[in-house]
Short mmCIF file of all heavy atoms in Angstrom, two decimals:
data_model
loop_
_atom_site.label_atom_id
_atom_site.label_comp_id
_atom_site.label_asym_id
_atom_site.label_seq_id
_atom_site.Cartn_x
_atom_site.Cartn_y
_atom_site.Cartn_z
N THR B 1428 -6.15 -33.80 27.37
CA THR B 1428 -7.63 -33.91 27.07
C THR B 1428 -8.40 -33.17 28.20
O THR B 1428 -8.38 -33.50 29.36
CB THR B 1428 -8.03 -35.38 27.11
OG1 THR B 1428 -7.32 -36.05 26.09
CG2 THR B 1428 -9.59 -35.61 26.79
N VAL B 1429 -9.13 -32.17 27.73
CA VAL B 1429 -9.93 -31.31 28.63
C VAL B 1429 -11.10 -30.81 27.94
O VAL B 1429 -11.14 -30.54 26.77
CB VAL B 1429 -9.20 -30.15 29.12
CG1 VAL B 1429 -9.91 -29.35 30.32
CG2 VAL B 1429 -7.83 -30.44 29.64
N ASP B 1430 -12.22 -30.61 28.69
CA ASP B 1430 -13.37 -29.82 28.21
C ASP B 1430 -13.52 -28.51 28.83
O ASP B 1430 -13.36 -28.44 30.02
CB ASP B 1430 -14.70 -30.68 28.64
CG ASP B 1430 -15.01 -31.75 27.63
OD1 ASP B 1430 -14.11 -31.95 26.77
OD2 ASP B 1430 -16.07 -32.35 27.73
N ILE B 1431 -13.78 -27.62 28.00
CA ILE B 1431 -14.08 -26.23 28.58
C ILE B 1431 -15.54 -25.86 28.16
O ILE B 1431 -15.91 -25.47 26.99
CB ILE B 1431 -13.16 -25.23 27.89
CG1 ILE B 1431 -11.69 -25.58 28.28
CG2 ILE B 1431 -13.38 -23.80 28.51
CD1 ILE B 1431 -10.57 -24.90 27.49
N PRO B 1432 -16.46 -26.16 29.14
CA PRO B 1432 -17.81 -25.90 28.83
C PRO B 1432 -18.23 -24.51 28.57
O PRO B 1432 -17.50 -23.59 28.98
CB PRO B 1432 -18.62 -26.38 30.02
CG PRO B 1432 -17.63 -27.04 30.92
CD PRO B 1432 -16.28 -26.59 30.54
N ARG B 1433 -19.27 -24.35 27.78
CA ARG B 1433 -19.70 -22.93 27.52
C ARG B 1433 -19.85 -22.11 28.85
O ARG B 1433 -20.32 -22.63 29.78
CB ARG B 1433 -21.02 -23.18 26.75
CG ARG B 1433 -21.92 -21.95 26.43
CD ARG B 1433 -23.14 -22.30 25.66
NE ARG B 1433 -22.74 -22.80 24.34
CZ ARG B 1433 -23.28 -23.90 23.83
NH1 ARG B 1433 -24.16 -24.63 24.37
NH2 ARG B 1433 -22.94 -24.19 22.55
N ARG B 1434 -19.45 -20.92 28.78
CA ARG B 1434 -19.64 -19.96 29.81
C ARG B 1434 -19.01 -20.31 31.07
O ARG B 1434 -19.38 -19.92 32.22
CB ARG B 1434 -21.16 -19.86 30.11
CG ARG B 1434 -22.05 -19.06 29.22
CD ARG B 1434 -22.93 -18.14 29.98
NE ARG B 1434 -22.13 -17.15 30.80
CZ ARG B 1434 -22.66 -16.51 31.83
NH1 ARG B 1434 -23.97 -16.46 31.99
NH2 ARG B 1434 -21.91 -15.81 32.54
N SER B 1435 -17.93 -21.11 31.00
CA SER B 1435 -17.23 -21.43 32.19
C SER B 1435 -15.92 -20.63 32.38
O SER B 1435 -15.48 -20.09 31.48
CB SER B 1435 -16.95 -22.94 32.28
OG SER B 1435 -16.04 -23.28 31.22
N PHE B 1436 -15.42 -20.65 33.60
CA PHE B 1436 -14.13 -20.10 33.88
C PHE B 1436 -13.15 -21.20 34.23
O PHE B 1436 -13.26 -21.83 35.22
CB PHE B 1436 -14.31 -19.12 35.05
CG PHE B 1436 -13.24 -18.03 35.21
CD1 PHE B 1436 -13.59 -16.68 35.25
CD2 PHE B 1436 -11.90 -18.50 35.37
CE1 PHE B 1436 -12.65 -15.82 35.30
CE2 PHE B 1436 -10.89 -17.56 35.46
CZ PHE B 1436 -11.22 -16.13 35.40
N VAL B 1437 -12.23 -21.45 33.32
CA VAL B 1437 -11.25 -22.47 33.51
C VAL B 1437 -9.85 -21.99 33.67
O VAL B 1437 -9.40 -21.21 32.86
CB VAL B 1437 -11.32 -23.50 32.27
CG1 VAL B 1437 -10.36 -24.56 32.36
CG2 VAL B 1437 -12.66 -24.05 32.10
N SER B 1438 -9.16 -22.45 34.75
CA SER B 1438 -7.77 -21.98 34.87
C SER B 1438 -6.90 -23.08 34.62
O SER B 1438 -7.21 -24.25 34.85
CB SER B 1438 -7.62 -21.50 36.35
OG SER B 1438 -8.22 -20.30 36.64
N VAL B 1439 -5.74 -22.72 34.22
CA VAL B 1439 -4.56 -23.62 34.09
C VAL B 1439 -3.54 -23.27 34.91
O VAL B 1439 -2.98 -22.18 34.92
CB VAL B 1439 -4.12 -23.60 32.56
CG1 VAL B 1439 -3.06 -24.69 32.36
CG2 VAL B 1439 -5.30 -23.76 31.56
N VAL B 1440 -3.13 -24.17 35.90
CA VAL B 1440 -1.98 -23.89 36.87
C VAL B 1440 -0.91 -24.92 36.60
O VAL B 1440 -1.16 -26.08 36.13
CB VAL B 1440 -2.43 -23.88 38.29
CG1 VAL B 1440 -3.24 -22.77 38.65
CG2 VAL B 1440 -3.03 -25.22 38.66
N GLY B 1441 0.26 -24.50 36.80
CA GLY B 1441 1.44 -25.43 36.71
C GLY B 1441 2.68 -24.63 36.69
O GLY B 1441 2.67 -23.38 36.63
N PRO B 1442 3.78 -25.38 36.90
CA PRO B 1442 5.17 -24.64 36.95
C PRO B 1442 5.50 -24.12 35.60
O PRO B 1442 4.90 -24.44 34.58
CB PRO B 1442 6.06 -25.75 37.34
CG PRO B 1442 5.44 -27.03 36.91
CD PRO B 1442 3.94 -26.72 37.09
N SER B 1443 6.49 -23.21 35.62
CA SER B 1443 6.76 -22.68 34.31
C SER B 1443 7.38 -23.71 33.43
O SER B 1443 8.03 -24.70 33.94
CB SER B 1443 7.91 -21.51 34.49
OG SER B 1443 8.34 -21.46 35.80
N GLY B 1444 7.17 -23.59 32.20
CA GLY B 1444 7.58 -24.60 31.25
C GLY B 1444 6.65 -25.89 31.18
O GLY B 1444 7.11 -26.82 30.58
N CYS B 1445 5.40 -25.73 31.55
CA CYS B 1445 4.54 -26.94 31.53
C CYS B 1445 3.62 -26.81 30.38
O CYS B 1445 2.77 -27.54 30.15
CB CYS B 1445 3.63 -27.01 32.84
SG CYS B 1445 2.44 -25.82 33.00
N GLY B 1446 3.91 -25.72 29.51
CA GLY B 1446 3.17 -25.68 28.28
C GLY B 1446 1.87 -24.87 28.36
O GLY B 1446 0.93 -24.93 27.49
N LYS B 1447 1.66 -24.09 29.41
CA LYS B 1447 0.43 -23.30 29.59
C LYS B 1447 0.28 -22.37 28.50
O LYS B 1447 -0.81 -22.27 27.84
CB LYS B 1447 0.56 -22.50 30.83
CG LYS B 1447 0.49 -23.31 32.09
CD LYS B 1447 0.60 -22.36 33.41
CE LYS B 1447 2.05 -21.69 33.44
NZ LYS B 1447 2.46 -21.43 34.71
N THR B 1448 1.30 -21.62 28.07
CA THR B 1448 1.15 -20.66 27.03
C THR B 1448 1.09 -21.31 25.76
O THR B 1448 0.36 -20.91 24.83
CB THR B 1448 2.38 -19.79 27.09
OG1 THR B 1448 2.44 -19.06 28.34
CG2 THR B 1448 2.28 -18.57 26.01
N THR B 1449 1.77 -22.55 25.60
CA THR B 1449 1.60 -23.24 24.31
C THR B 1449 0.20 -23.64 24.17
O THR B 1449 -0.38 -23.49 22.98
CB THR B 1449 2.43 -24.57 24.41
OG1 THR B 1449 3.81 -24.18 24.70
CG2 THR B 1449 2.35 -25.38 23.03
N LEU B 1450 -0.47 -24.11 25.23
CA LEU B 1450 -1.95 -24.46 25.17
C LEU B 1450 -2.76 -23.32 24.62
O LEU B 1450 -3.58 -23.46 23.73
CB LEU B 1450 -2.42 -24.84 26.52
CG LEU B 1450 -3.88 -25.34 26.55
CD1 LEU B 1450 -4.01 -26.62 25.77
CD2 LEU B 1450 -4.33 -25.59 28.00
N LEU B 1451 -2.43 -22.16 25.16
CA LEU B 1451 -3.18 -20.98 24.72
C LEU B 1451 -3.02 -20.62 23.26
O LEU B 1451 -3.87 -20.24 22.49
CB LEU B 1451 -2.74 -19.72 25.60
CG LEU B 1451 -3.79 -18.66 25.85
CD1 LEU B 1451 -4.92 -19.20 26.71
CD2 LEU B 1451 -3.21 -17.44 26.58
N LYS B 1452 -1.69 -20.80 22.82
CA LYS B 1452 -1.39 -20.57 21.44
C LYS B 1452 -2.12 -21.49 20.52
O LYS B 1452 -2.61 -21.09 19.39
CB LYS B 1452 0.12 -20.64 21.18
CG LYS B 1452 0.84 -19.37 21.68
CD LYS B 1452 2.32 -19.40 21.28
CE LYS B 1452 3.00 -18.19 21.79
NZ LYS B 1452 4.41 -18.25 21.74
N VAL B 1453 -2.24 -22.74 20.88
CA VAL B 1453 -3.02 -23.71 20.10
C VAL B 1453 -4.44 -23.27 20.06
O VAL B 1453 -5.08 -23.18 18.94
CB VAL B 1453 -2.89 -25.21 20.65
CG1 VAL B 1453 -3.73 -26.12 19.92
CG2 VAL B 1453 -1.43 -25.59 20.58
N LEU B 1454 -4.94 -22.99 21.13
CA LEU B 1454 -6.45 -22.58 21.24
C LEU B 1454 -6.65 -21.31 20.44
O LEU B 1454 -7.83 -21.17 19.85
CB LEU B 1454 -6.83 -22.31 22.68
CG LEU B 1454 -6.98 -23.59 23.54
CD1 LEU B 1454 -7.33 -23.22 24.98
CD2 LEU B 1454 -8.15 -24.50 22.91
N SER B 1455 -5.75 -20.44 20.30
CA SER B 1455 -5.96 -19.29 19.57
C SER B 1455 -5.59 -19.40 18.11
O SER B 1455 -5.65 -18.46 17.31
CB SER B 1455 -5.22 -18.05 20.21
OG SER B 1455 -3.88 -18.28 20.38
N GLY B 1456 -5.12 -20.71 17.74
CA GLY B 1456 -4.85 -20.88 16.38
C GLY B 1456 -3.42 -20.45 15.84
O GLY B 1456 -3.21 -20.45 14.72
N VAL B 1457 -2.55 -19.92 16.80
CA VAL B 1457 -1.29 -19.44 16.40
C VAL B 1457 -0.34 -20.60 16.19
O VAL B 1457 0.44 -20.67 15.22
CB VAL B 1457 -0.67 -18.52 17.47
CG1 VAL B 1457 0.78 -18.21 17.21
CG2 VAL B 1457 -1.48 -17.35 17.67
N LEU B 1458 -0.55 -21.65 16.83
CA LEU B 1458 0.31 -22.80 16.85
C LEU B 1458 -0.55 -24.03 16.33
O LEU B 1458 -1.64 -24.31 16.84
CB LEU B 1458 0.87 -23.11 18.24
CG LEU B 1458 2.29 -23.57 18.29
CD1 LEU B 1458 3.26 -22.71 17.76
CD2 LEU B 1458 2.66 -23.95 19.81
N LYS B 1459 0.08 -24.91 15.46
CA LYS B 1459 -0.70 -26.06 14.98
C LYS B 1459 -0.36 -27.30 15.92
O LYS B 1459 0.86 -27.52 16.28
CB LYS B 1459 -0.26 -26.41 13.59
CG LYS B 1459 -0.72 -25.42 12.56
CD LYS B 1459 -1.47 -26.15 11.42
CE LYS B 1459 -1.94 -25.06 10.33
NZ LYS B 1459 -2.51 -23.86 10.97
#
Side-chain angles (χ1 to χ4, degrees):
Chain B
T1428 300
V1429 188
D1430 273 7
I1431 299 166
R1433 174 176 291 135
R1434 282 226 59 192
S1435 63
F1436 198 123
V1437 175
S1438 286
V1439 185
V1440 292
S1443 8
C1445 72
K1447 292 177 296 208
T1448 301
T1449 306
L1450 182 64
L1451 209 66
K1452 280 187 178 161
V1453 171
L1454 286 174
S1455 55
V1457 175
L1458 216 63
K1459 291 232 179 322

